[in-house]
Amino acid sequence: MGRIQGADWHALRARRGDWAQALSAARVGRGSGRGEGAGAGDRCGRVMSSEVAARRDAKKLVRSSSGLRMVPEHRAFGSPFGLEEPQWVPDKECPRCMQCDTKFDFLTRKHHCRRCGRCFCDKCCSQKVPLRRMCFVDPVRQCAECALVSHKEAEFYDKQLKVLLSGATFLVTFGNSEKSETMVCRLSNNQRYLLLDGDSHYEIEIAHISTVQVLTEGFPPGEKDIHSYASLLGSQPGSEGGNARATGMSLQYTTPGADGVTQLKLTAGEDANASRRQSTAWLAAMHKAVKLLYESRDQ
């Protein structure tokens, strides 16, 4: 049997179902967003990317004790915004409502909140609210506290997430380079990657972004610029600075197999047109996404 060539080997691994490893190999081949020149590895990566793209957005319907869920077919491609279903508090460990302390009996039944897994009476856990972060198809029963959080998150999914998926145009600078390139930046359909498209194509995995800095401009024009920091993995986000609009974003991320971190800067254009407004809306939506990820790190 002849020796398997690089591209064939990546395709073989993908067909055997190891999509995560195949994608990683493809990304290394094309530079993982570091801006290396296109070569044989780059071409192989592009072919592999198109093959994996057909699989990484695939969904399947599963049934759990909480209800029907539409989840990624391959767990490795789950959304970073997603939350795992909680373990329910065992019935024998909750003789009373964990909110109002009402004792459960034949008439007062117990119910589990689908978001936190705690046990409540019907009065304290009566709301059925969409829980998009756990991929539930229908609204599910939640306690009052969790329902409030889920309602707030619904705004992100209904508004900001759509803006991020649509994308916007920016001037993009890698590292300390003084050269910028006009590129369209958007969130991938499975919400795992930032996709940059221009003369080149780059993908940055959200999970590998360590720090995000949203650059803002105060009003009226000429006021001192205000900086808003948000870290996905580290420090507490700082204040947003009140009456300000986003003008750009700087982020740091790591690349598998490479040392250190890479810095990327997105800057909205200066023209006061529809493109500028779209870029500003995208940056504001990205700031919401960063805060959502930070606040749910321990959930």
Side-chain angles (χ1 to χ4, degrees):
M1 181 182 293
R3 186 176 182 181
I4 299 177
Q5 298 300 314
D8 295 331
W9 171 239
H10 293 319
L12 177 60
R13 289 167 67 182
R15 284 194 294 271
R16 290 177 62 186
D18 196 355
W19 300 106
Q21 292 187 28
L23 180 61
S24 177
R27 217 175 260 116
V28 171
R30 69 173 165 207
S32 303
R34 284 181 166 273
E36 287 87 342
D42 181 74
R43 290 190 294 273
C44 172
R46 291 178 187 277
V47 172
M48 193 64 253
S49 178
S50 63
E51 292 182 8
V52 173
R55 297 292 196 279
R56 69 184 184 185
D57 296 335
K59 304 282 187 179
K60 64 180 178 181
L61 191 65
V62 299
R63 181 181 292 277
S64 71
S65 57
S66 299
L68 287 174
R69 302 171 64 218
M70 186 66 74
V71 301
E73 188 171 305
H74 301 282
R75 187 181 179 86
F77 297 133
S79 167
F81 299 105
L83 296 175
E84 295 291 335
E85 282 191 83
Q87 291 289 331
W88 285 9
V89 175
D91 288 347
K92 62 182 180 181
E93 295 181 12
C94 53
R96 295 177 177 273
C97 174
M98 302 180 76
Q99 179 63 40
C100 69
D101 203 38
T102 297
K103 185 177 180 179
F104 296 121
D105 54 30
F106 182 76
L107 295 178
T108 306
R109 299 182 58 190
K110 61 185 64 175
H111 301 278
H112 286 86
C113 172
R114 271 49 175 176
R115 184 176 181 116
C116 68
R118 295 188 299 163
C119 201
F120 302 91
C121 67
D122 181 71
K123 182 180 179 180
C124 295
C125 193
S126 61
Q127 298 186 62
K128 289 191 174 182
V129 181
L131 187 45
R132 304 273 291 276
R133 297 188 69 183
M134 290 185 189
C135 304
F136 283 108
V137 175
D138 300 309
V140 293
R141 188 183 293 270
Q142 299 180 53
C143 65
E145 182 179 349
C146 289
L148 180 62
V149 175
S150 294
H151 275 304
K152 292 180 179 179
E153 293 174 350
E155 180 182 358
F156 169 77
Y157 277 90
D158 292 336
K159 297 179 180 180
Q160 282 83 24
L161 184 58
K162 292 180 180 179
V163 172
L164 293 175
L165 293 172
S166 298
T169 302
F170 296 95
L171 294 176
V172 180
T173 306
F174 286 96
N176 296 321
S177 174
E178 297 181 357
K179 182 179 179 181
S180 299
E181 178 181 349
T182 301
M183 307 184 81
V184 174
C185 184
R186 67 180 179 86
L187 194 65
S188 65
N189 290 335
N190 64 6
Q191 303 155 27
R192 288 189 63 87
Y193 308 97
L194 280 183
L195 306 180
L196 300 169
D197 288 295
D199 293 336
S200 304
H201 173 81
Y202 304 106
E203 295 183 1
I204 301 172
E205 190 166 1
I206 298 294
H208 293 158
I209 298 177
S210 57
T211 304
V212 176
Q213 177 183 0
V214 179
L215 310 176
T216 62
E217 180 182 78
F219 288 98
E223 264 191 21
K224 184 178 179 180
D225 288 350
I226 304 171
H227 299 276
S228 176
Y229 299 89
S231 173
L232 305 190
L233 304 176
S235 59
Q236 171 74 22
S239 63
E240 297 184 31
N243 191 19
R245 67 175 181 182
T247 60
M249 181 177 71
S250 177
L251 57 87
Q252 293 182 336
Y253 63 95
T254 58
T255 303
D259 296 329
V261 297
T262 301
Q263 183 166 314
L264 173 71
K265 183 178 180 180
L266 307 176
T267 305
E270 296 296 332
D271 297 333
N273 53 25
S275 177
R276 172 61 183 262
R277 291 194 297 271
Q278 185 178 12
S279 299
T280 301
W282 194 93
L283 290 168
M286 187 62 183
H287 193 192
K288 288 275 189 179
V290 169
K291 292 179 67 176
L292 182 65
L293 288 175
Y294 176 86
E295 292 168 356
S296 62
R297 290 179 309 161
D298 299 325
Q299 293 187 31

